[in-house]
């Protein structure tokens, strides 16, 4: 089937990844909204003191949003357009280019007479594609986070619920947010928080792709050792499901601190919302630990996993189906 295709293999791999990630974004955006609100609340205000916590937990946040606005406006719609566009760009690069990157690194190391560990190559490939994808998708990421953080009920042109209660909405839509950020903060405003975003994406992608790839390979080898294990792990669908589950836990845990810093820095420094709280990503880390403790860097882990875990459980099988049935590619 692949021989019938004239489109380059790398482009088809990016297409399958972009499609899979965009479709899963549509399904899992509510968890992203909850995660963003949990991460951007309780930040520093005047006097470098944390503001009051509006949401006590991910469950409380979800129940509050449902009560105030309902599922569609409160959980599903905020930042949805930017989220889908982000995953078309970011997902296509970091997941779609991963197989080509692994091959390129292996070929380069072989030509130099080096024998790199298989897992090390996978981690490095995920790290590189994650960084490139995150930087390319940073503008859509910052728009998504700002729209999700400030969403709430609007009455008489002012938010009456949510983290920005009492403030006027900053943006009417994703397109308006893009124009306003460029007008008020310049083109560089679209890349605010890019260092934290790149770090997060490198951690997520290297953890996600390497753990998925390695787990699937290990299960394949394990299934050959006995008839029982062959029955348990010999089926391709089982290997995909187990590897997807493992990759979600590993990725959510590895990326949580960078994810929190990214959300806070990207939501910071709105031209019409007063002075910036943080001088940059490193300053955000320092102040967060100083005022809220080291483990506050993992704030939002539960909603982060609620998004990443189930998302990977859907995205990877969907990508495998798209690769083999729609894009003329072999299984991952």
């Amino acid at each position: 089937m692949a021989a019938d295709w004239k489109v380059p293999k790398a482009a088809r791999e990016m297409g399958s990844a972009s499609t899979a990630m965009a479709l899963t974004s549509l399904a899992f955006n509510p968890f992203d909204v909850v995660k963003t609100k949990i991460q951007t609340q309780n930040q520093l205000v005047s006097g470098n003191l944390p503001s009051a916590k509006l949401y006590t937990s991910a469950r409380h946040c979800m129940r509050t949003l449902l009560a105030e606005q309902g599922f569609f406006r409160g959980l599903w719609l905020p930042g949805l357009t930017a989220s889908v566009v982000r995953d078309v760009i970011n997902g296509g690069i970091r997941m779609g280019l991963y197989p080509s990157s692994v091959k390129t690194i292996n070929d380069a190391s072989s030509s130099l007479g080096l024998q790199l560990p298989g897992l090390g190559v996978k981690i490095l490939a995920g790290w590189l594609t994650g960084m490139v994808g995150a930087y390319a998708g940073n503008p859509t990421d910052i728009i998504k986070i700002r729209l999700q953080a400030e969403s709430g009920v609007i009455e008489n042109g002012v938010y009456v619920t949510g983290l920005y209660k009492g403030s006027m909405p900053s943006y009417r839509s994703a397109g308006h947010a893009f124009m306003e950020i460029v007008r008020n903060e310049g083109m560089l405003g679209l890349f605010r928080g890019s260092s934290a975003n790149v770090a997060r994406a490198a951690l997520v992608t290297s953890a996600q792709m390497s753990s998925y790839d390695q787990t699937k390979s290990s299960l394949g080898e394990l299934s050959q050792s006995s008839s029982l294990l062959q029955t348990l792990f010999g089926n391709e669908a089982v290997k995909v499901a187990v590897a997807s589950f493992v990759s979600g836990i590993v990725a959510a845990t590895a990326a949580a601190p960078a994810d929190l810093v990214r959300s806070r820095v990207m939501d910071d420094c709105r031209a019409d919302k007063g002075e910036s709280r943080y001088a940059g990503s490193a300053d955000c880390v320092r102040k967060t630990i100083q005022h809220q403790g080291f483990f506050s860097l993992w704030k939002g882990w539960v909603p982060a996993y609620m998004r990443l875990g189930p998302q990977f459980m859907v995205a990877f099988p969907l990508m495998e189906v798209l690769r083999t049935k729609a894009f003329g590619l072999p299984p991952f």
Side-chain angles (χ1 to χ4, degrees):
M1 184 177 178
D4 297 332
W5 285 78
K6 296 182 180 179
V7 179
K9 183 180 179 182
R12 285 182 282 138
E13 288 178 328
M14 291 181 68
S16 65
S18 289
T19 305
M21 292 305 296
L23 291 174
T24 50
S25 276
L26 287 170
F28 292 101
N29 197 60
F31 296 119
D32 211 14
V33 172
V34 172
K35 174 179 71 75
T36 299
K37 287 187 177 294
I38 292 291
Q39 290 178 334
T40 55
Q41 73 168 350
N42 195 220
Q43 297 191 68
L44 303 182
V45 290
S46 58
N48 274 342
L49 296 174
S51 60
K53 290 179 68 173
L54 183 60
Y55 310 111
T56 58
S57 65
R59 181 182 178 185
H60 177 248
C61 179
M62 187 172 291
R63 291 175 61 184
T64 301
L65 296 177
L66 283 171
E68 292 173 347
Q69 294 180 276
F71 176 79
F72 182 76
R73 290 189 175 276
L75 286 168
W76 191 65
L77 194 59
L80 181 62
T81 301
S83 182
V84 171
V85 175
R86 165 192 177 271
D87 278 331
V88 168
I89 298 170
N90 190 355
I93 293 173
R94 67 186 187 85
M95 293 176 67
L97 289 181
Y98 171 81
S100 299
S101 298
V102 170
K103 183 178 184 303
T104 300
I105 293 171
N106 277 323
D107 291 346
S109 61
S110 296
S111 66
L112 295 173
L114 301 175
Q115 186 62 43
L116 298 179
L119 180 59
V121 171
K122 295 169 184 176
I123 292 174
L124 178 58
W127 189 274
L128 292 173
T129 58
M131 289 193 296
V132 175
Y135 196 78
N138 203 84
T140 53
D141 232 341
I142 198 168
I143 291 168
K144 174 186 75 74
I145 285 173
R146 292 191 180 186
L147 290 173
Q148 290 175 342
E150 76 165 40
S151 65
V153 176
I154 301 174
E155 292 182 4
N156 300 317
V158 175
Y159 284 116
V160 294
T161 66
L163 300 177
Y164 283 80
K165 182 178 179 180
S167 300
M168 295 177 62
S170 302
Y171 317 111
R172 297 190 300 269
S173 65
H176 181 246
F178 180 89
M179 299 303 296
E180 284 296 294
I181 292 171
V182 172
R183 185 171 68 87
N184 293 320
E185 302 172 42
M187 286 298 295
L188 290 179
L190 293 170
F191 292 90
R192 180 172 177 79
S194 58
S195 59
N197 197 28
V198 166
R200 174 200 177 267
L203 289 168
V204 166
T205 310
S206 59
Q208 170 197 4
M209 300 305 293
S210 63
S211 61
Y212 177 81
D213 198 356
Q214 189 66 31
T215 301
K216 195 176 174 188
S217 298
S218 298
L219 290 176
E221 295 173 3
L222 193 62
S223 67
Q224 304 300 316
S225 59
S226 74
S227 57
L228 174 61
L229 293 174
Q230 172 65 31
T231 302
L232 290 174
F233 302 120
N235 185 277
E236 179 71 12
V238 173
K239 288 188 287 187
V240 169
V242 173
S244 299
F245 174 76
V246 171
S247 70
I249 293 178
V250 174
T253 303
D259 196 17
L260 179 133
V261 172
R262 175 195 69 149
S263 294
R264 292 190 167 188
V265 173
M266 284 186 168
D267 187 52
D268 194 20
C269 197
R270 302 177 187 226
D272 57 344
K273 301 295 183 185
E275 295 182 1
S276 171
R277 300 181 185 96
Y278 311 113
S281 298
D283 186 51
C284 179
V285 172
R286 182 182 64 81
K287 288 180 177 177
T288 298
I289 294 175
Q290 180 181 351
H291 295 282
Q292 296 175 277
F294 177 76
F295 289 104
S296 66
L297 292 173
W298 276 266
K299 184 181 292 185
W301 186 93
V302 171
Y305 177 74
M306 286 167 63
R307 181 182 186 272
L308 287 179
Q311 183 190 45
F312 291 171
M313 291 289 287
V314 172
F316 278 120
L318 181 56
M319 185 176 69
E320 296 277 17
V321 170
L322 287 168
R323 285 175 64 90
T324 57
K325 304 299 183 183
F327 287 88
L329 294 165
F332 193 87

